[in-house]
């Protein structure tokens, strides 16, 4: 009871105090605002409610409603390469070597065999190894023989070689060692004015070539502004025929180039040591060249200025200094470049180069020696460019002043063979020419290409540039009919040339001739010719294919050199196997 009375007294006291506090607060508000305090029964509206924020909390930019991140932090990690130490007494794990296995099936090796009319036999084997990413090794063997309709018109060719390439740190090494053999006969049908043959027993001829070539080239970043590049190349060969002619050559060449911002400073250096021997004839023909230069290179231009120092020594000596300058300017970058230059040089005349062009040269002698030709001035210029990977072109015009141009002429002693004669005179002869080259990929199915050469000769001594054409056109086409069938074609056209005959015994009634200084010296016209060839290949499987090729489809027995008609229509077909 006492407790209940006490609680009721507390409630009453609390209520009285609350009324007194509320009345006091209302009086203070009335005094402060100057208006009566608000009551529950009435509310006085003074103005509409408008919330106002202070300047300190205002946002002075419009909100971005996109959900993109305004800032992407760049994170870096510092990962320490540390070996985990295990102190449990267990043995450290070692890498288990696995046997080598190919990741894919290689198909860069092939075997090719074929046969055709005119006694044609063909065989090729090509092997290469790509087991290592930075090293490539391989070898090849080739054989081809043919026989024409004329007596002793026979040809045979054999090639065998090994090659290798490796990238070793900052340098790349390339090398090849091989042997080439080419055999033929002096089959030219030559008769005298009475109809008697002047080539009763066509002699055999064969050329053997043992060669080696190697190169060491630096690897560098072409985009670097301070790159240093260099190269060293070596070539050597032993060349001979079945008689007594031998030519041995060792050549070393290299270049150094240092790039400094937009400048390139460097030099090309070479030395060629060649010895020619024949019955009663020997010649040491050595040439050393030094070509220092400085190149200015920009985004759309390339200018090279330098000089070419050439020294000939051996059995005879001569020194020449020629200018060397080139310019390349991007008229329309990637589409049209203007280029031009001026230079001079000494061109080595070698038995190997001559006989590869004309294998019916007579034995060398005192009247058939070796002389180097000299380009006193070579000025050239033109335009080149491309449109992506589907169209490329180049047009080049040139002017050359040349001393001691080499020509072929029929030998008086052996009219079925040729000898060398050289353009001589107090002044150098001139050659004005135009070259054009075009490559077009019409579509993924058709690709076309061609090259045109036009030359005009102004000689000081000789009547004509013997056996050198003024016009030559080579064109090719390829058609990818499907993934399995390919067709290609080639066209070679050469304008008329002229040959020199200095033996009045020879019957030339089948040729157009002009007498020069008497009946013993005659100019013979060799007609123009066209040689059309075509071939097709069908891939029966991924590894096996069959092919057929037709050469000289027009069947013309044309002559590149006097008295030596080429083979007529010849067909060859066979099978190739890749693995």
């Amino acid at each position: 009871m006492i407790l209940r009375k006490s609680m009721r007294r507390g409630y009453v006291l609390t209520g009285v105090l609350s009324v007194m506090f509320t009345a006091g607060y209302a009086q203070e508000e009335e005094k402060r605002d100057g208006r009566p305090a608000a009551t529950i029964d009435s509310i006085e509206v003074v103005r509409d409610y408008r919330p106002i924020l202070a300047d300190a909390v205002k946002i002075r930019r419009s909100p971005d409603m996109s959900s993109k991140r305004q800032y992407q932090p760049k994170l870096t990690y510092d990962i320490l390469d540390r070996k985990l130490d295990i102190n449990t007494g267990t043995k450290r794990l070692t890498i288990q070597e696995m046997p080598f296995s190919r990741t894919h099936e290689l198909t860069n090796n092939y075997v090719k065999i074929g046969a055709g009319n005119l006694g044609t036999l063909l065989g090729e084997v090509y092997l290469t190894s790509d087991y290592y990413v930075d090293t490539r090794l391989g070898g090849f063997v080739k054989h081809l023989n043919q026989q024409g309709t004329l007596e002793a018109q026979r040809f045979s060719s054999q090639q065998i070689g090994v090659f290798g390439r490796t990238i070793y740190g900052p340098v790349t090494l390339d090398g090849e060692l091989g042997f080439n053999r080419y055999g033929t006969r002096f089959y030219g049908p030559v008769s005298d004015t009475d109809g008697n043959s002047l080539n009763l027993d066509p002699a055999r001829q064969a050329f053997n070539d043992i060669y080696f070539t190697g190169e060491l080239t630096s690897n560098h970043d072409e985009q670097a502004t301070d790159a240093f590049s260099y190269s060293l190349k070596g070539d050597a060969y032993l060349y001979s025929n079945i008689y007594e002619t031998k030519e041995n050559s060792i050549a070393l060449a290299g270049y150094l180039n240092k790039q400094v911002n937009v400048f390139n400073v460097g030099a090309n250096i070479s030395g060629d040591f060649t010895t020619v021997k024949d019955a009663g004839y020997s010649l040491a023909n050595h040439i050393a060249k030094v070509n220092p230069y400085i190149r200015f290179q920009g985004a759309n231009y390339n200018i090279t200025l330098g000089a070419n120092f050439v020294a000939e020594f051996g059995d005879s000596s001569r020194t020449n200094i020629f200018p060397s300058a080139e310019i390349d300017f991007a008229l329309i970058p990637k589409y049209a470049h203007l280029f031009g230059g001026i230079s001079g040089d000494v061109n080595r005349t070698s038995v190997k180069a001559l006989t590869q062009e004309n294998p019916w040269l007579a034995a060398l002698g005192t009247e058939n020696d070796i002389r180097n030709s000299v380009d006193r001035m070579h000025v050239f210029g033109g335009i080149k460019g491309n449109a992506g990977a589907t169209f490329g072109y180049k047009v080049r015009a040139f002017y050359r002043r040349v001393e001691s141009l080499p020509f072929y002429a029929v030998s008086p002693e052996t009219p079925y063979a040729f000898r060398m004669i050289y353009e001589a005179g107090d002044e150098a002869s001139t050659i004005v020419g135009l070259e054009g080259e075009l490559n077009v990929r019409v579509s993924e199915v058709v690709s076309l290409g061609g090259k045109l050469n036009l030359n005009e000769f102004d000689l000081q001594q000789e009547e004509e540039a013997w056996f050198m054409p003024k016009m030559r056109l080579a064109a090719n086409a390829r058609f990818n009919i499907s993934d399995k069938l390919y067709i290609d074609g080639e066209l070679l056209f050469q304008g008329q040339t002229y040959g020199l005959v200095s033996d009045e015994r020879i019957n030339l009634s089948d040729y157009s001739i002009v007498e020069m200084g008497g009946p013993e010296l005659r100019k013979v016209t060799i007609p123009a010719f066209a040689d059309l060839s075509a071939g097709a290949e069908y891939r029966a499987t991924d590894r096996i294919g069959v092919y057929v090729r037709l050469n000289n489809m027009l069947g013309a027995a044309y002559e590149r050199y006097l008295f030596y008609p080429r083979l007529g229509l010849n067909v060859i077909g066979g099978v190739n196997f890749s693995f």
Side-chain angles (χ1 to χ4, degrees):
M1 292 292 293
I2 298 173
L3 178 60
R4 289 179 179 176
K5 291 180 180 180
S6 299
M7 292 177 64
R8 282 197 293 267
R9 290 174 184 173
Y11 292 151
V12 173
L13 180 60
T14 301
V16 173
L17 292 175
S18 298
V19 172
M20 293 175 63
F21 177 78
T22 302
Y25 181 78
Q27 291 177 0
E28 286 295 322
E29 288 292 330
E30 183 178 0
K31 293 178 182 180
R32 186 173 1 185
D33 298 336
R35 60 177 181 268
T39 64
I40 298 176
D41 297 333
S42 63
I43 298 175
E44 182 180 2
V45 178
V46 178
R47 61 179 173 81
D48 295 337
Y49 174 73
R50 288 182 295 176
I52 299 175
L53 296 178
D55 291 340
V57 294
K58 289 182 179 178
I59 300 176
R60 298 187 178 275
R61 62 183 175 87
S62 299
D64 187 1
M65 302 307 294
S66 63
S67 60
K68 66 181 182 181
R69 300 179 62 179
Q70 297 295 329
Y71 172 70
Q72 179 67 39
K74 183 179 179 181
L75 305 178
T76 58
Y77 301 90
D78 185 13
I79 300 177
L80 301 179
D81 184 11
R82 294 182 178 178
K83 182 181 68 176
L84 177 63
D85 294 326
I86 303 177
N87 300 321
T88 59
T90 59
K91 182 180 178 180
R92 189 180 67 176
L93 298 177
T94 58
I95 299 175
Q96 179 64 41
E97 294 185 1
M98 299 294 292
F100 177 79
S101 60
R102 297 179 180 177
T103 58
H104 62 281
E105 199 146 349
L106 301 178
T107 58
N108 4 359
N109 309 316
Y110 72 87
V111 176
K112 186 175 184 179
I113 57 175
N117 68 329
L118 303 181
T120 303
L121 290 176
L122 171 68
E124 292 185 22
V125 178
Y126 181 90
L127 303 174
T128 183
S129 171
D130 287 329
Y131 288 125
Y132 304 100
V133 176
D134 55 356
T135 301
R136 186 181 187 190
L137 301 173
F140 58 88
V141 177
K142 299 181 182 180
H143 169 80
L144 173 66
N145 67 267
Q146 291 182 299
Q147 181 176 343
T149 56
L150 298 177
E151 181 185 359
Q153 190 181 21
R154 300 171 185 172
F155 310 92
S156 66
S157 173
Q158 294 80 35
Q159 301 177 40
I160 182 171
V162 293
F163 59 86
R165 175 186 176 90
T166 183
I167 300 175
Y168 185 76
V171 299
T172 298
L173 296 174
D174 286 275
E176 183 175 338
L177 175 65
F179 169 76
N180 296 330
R181 185 182 186 276
Y182 179 77
T184 184
R185 283 180 177 266
F186 289 89
Y187 66 88
V190 187
S191 61
D192 60 16
T193 53
D194 296 330
N196 300 316
S197 176
L198 297 176
N199 189 10
L200 296 175
D201 185 17
R204 295 175 59 245
Q205 178 63 288
F207 303 96
N208 302 309
D209 179 22
I210 302 173
Y211 68 92
F212 167 78
T213 178
E215 184 173 8
L216 181 150
T217 307
S218 63
N219 302 323
H220 67 281
D221 183 8
E222 295 183 354
Q223 302 300 324
T225 58
D226 59 347
F228 175 72
S229 58
Y230 56 90
S231 175
L232 179 63
K233 183 177 182 180
D235 291 282
Y237 65 81
L238 304 175
Y239 192 77
S240 62
N241 60 15
I242 62 174
Y243 301 104
E244 299 184 40
T245 305
K246 296 180 176 61
E247 183 176 66
N248 306 326
S249 176
I250 298 176
L252 297 174
Y255 76 84
L256 300 171
N257 185 87
K258 174 64 176 177
Q259 183 175 352
V260 182
N261 295 325
V262 297
F263 297 94
N264 282 268
V265 180
N268 299 299
I269 305 173
S270 66
D272 191 320
F273 308 90
T274 304
T275 302
V276 181
K277 293 184 179 181
D278 204 336
Y281 182 80
S282 179
L283 174 70
N285 184 18
H286 312 319
I287 303 175
K289 301 180 182 180
V290 179
N291 170 222
Y293 64 85
I294 181 170
R295 180 179 300 124
F296 307 89
Q297 187 171 351
N300 296 320
Y301 69 90
N302 194 325
I303 302 174
T304 303
L305 302 175
N308 193 14
F309 301 88
V310 183
E312 300 173 79
F313 57 99
D315 287 354
S316 62
S317 61
R318 180 173 53 178
T319 302
N320 291 282
I321 302 177
F322 306 101
S324 177
E326 292 187 25
I327 183 171
D328 188 311
F329 175 71
L331 185 65
I332 304 176
K334 297 183 180 179
Y335 294 97
H337 283 245
L338 297 177
F339 66 92
I342 181 173
S343 64
D345 204 353
V346 174
N347 308 306
R348 180 172 68 94
T349 301
S350 68
V351 176
K352 181 178 180 178
L354 294 174
T355 54
Q356 285 179 344
E357 184 179 42
N358 182 354
W360 300 289
L361 277 177
L364 294 175
T366 55
E367 66 176 2
N368 192 20
D369 54 354
I370 301 296
R371 307 179 197 174
N372 298 324
S373 63
V374 181
D375 273 288
R376 289 297 176 188
M377 179 180 294
H378 184 190
V379 182
F380 61 91
I383 183 172
K384 61 182 179 179
N386 60 71
T390 61
F391 181 82
Y393 67 93
K394 181 178 181 180
V395 179
R396 176 178 177 267
F398 65 87
Y399 170 85
R400 293 176 58 191
R401 293 182 58 247
V402 189
E403 291 182 0
S404 300
L405 270 174
F407 300 119
Y408 304 108
V410 174
S411 176
E413 294 80 11
T414 52
Y416 49 82
F418 293 86
R419 62 187 178 95
M420 296 301 302
I421 60 175
Y422 292 85
E423 167 70 359
D426 297 333
E427 297 182 2
S429 302
T430 61
I431 306 175
V432 179
L434 179 67
E435 298 176 351
E437 188 172 354
L438 182 67
N439 292 283
V440 181
R441 192 180 71 183
V442 180
S443 65
E444 294 183 356
V445 177
V446 181
S447 299
L448 304 174
K451 187 173 183 179
L452 174 67
N453 296 83
L454 300 174
N455 297 309
E456 189 64 39
F457 301 90
D458 183 10
L459 307 178
Q460 301 297 318
Q461 183 76 18
E462 299 297 328
E463 180 73 16
E464 298 286 348
W466 309 115
F467 297 103
M468 297 184 69
K470 295 184 178 181
M471 177 183 178
R472 186 178 179 88
L473 171 65
N476 61 81
R478 181 177 176 87
F479 305 90
N480 299 332
I481 305 301
S482 66
D483 293 339
K484 293 182 175 293
L485 180 61
Y486 308 91
I487 298 176
D488 67 274
E490 296 179 359
L491 171 65
L492 173 63
F493 176 82
Q494 178 174 296
Q496 72 177 18
T497 57
Y498 301 95
L500 180 64
V501 177
S502 56
D503 190 343
E504 60 181 355
R505 298 175 302 162
I506 300 176
N507 182 13
L508 298 174
S509 58
D510 295 333
Y511 299 89
S512 174
I513 62 172
V514 176
E515 293 187 0
M516 300 166 50
E520 73 282 355
L521 197 61
R522 291 168 288 177
K523 179 174 72 172
V524 182
T525 301
I526 303 173
F529 64 83
D531 190 331
L532 179 63
S533 303
E537 180 179 355
Y538 177 75
R539 301 294 297 177
T541 67
D542 292 339
R543 294 179 177 272
I544 300 176
V546 295
Y547 68 93
V548 62
R549 184 156 196 87
L550 291 80
N551 298 314
N552 195 3
M553 296 173 60
L554 302 179
Y558 63 87
E559 295 182 6
R560 174 68 177 88
Y561 295 101
L562 197 62
F563 308 131
Y564 283 89
R566 303 298 295 268
L567 294 174
L569 173 64
N570 58 95
V571 183
I572 181 172
V575 180
N576 54 55
F577 176 73
S578 59
F579 58 95

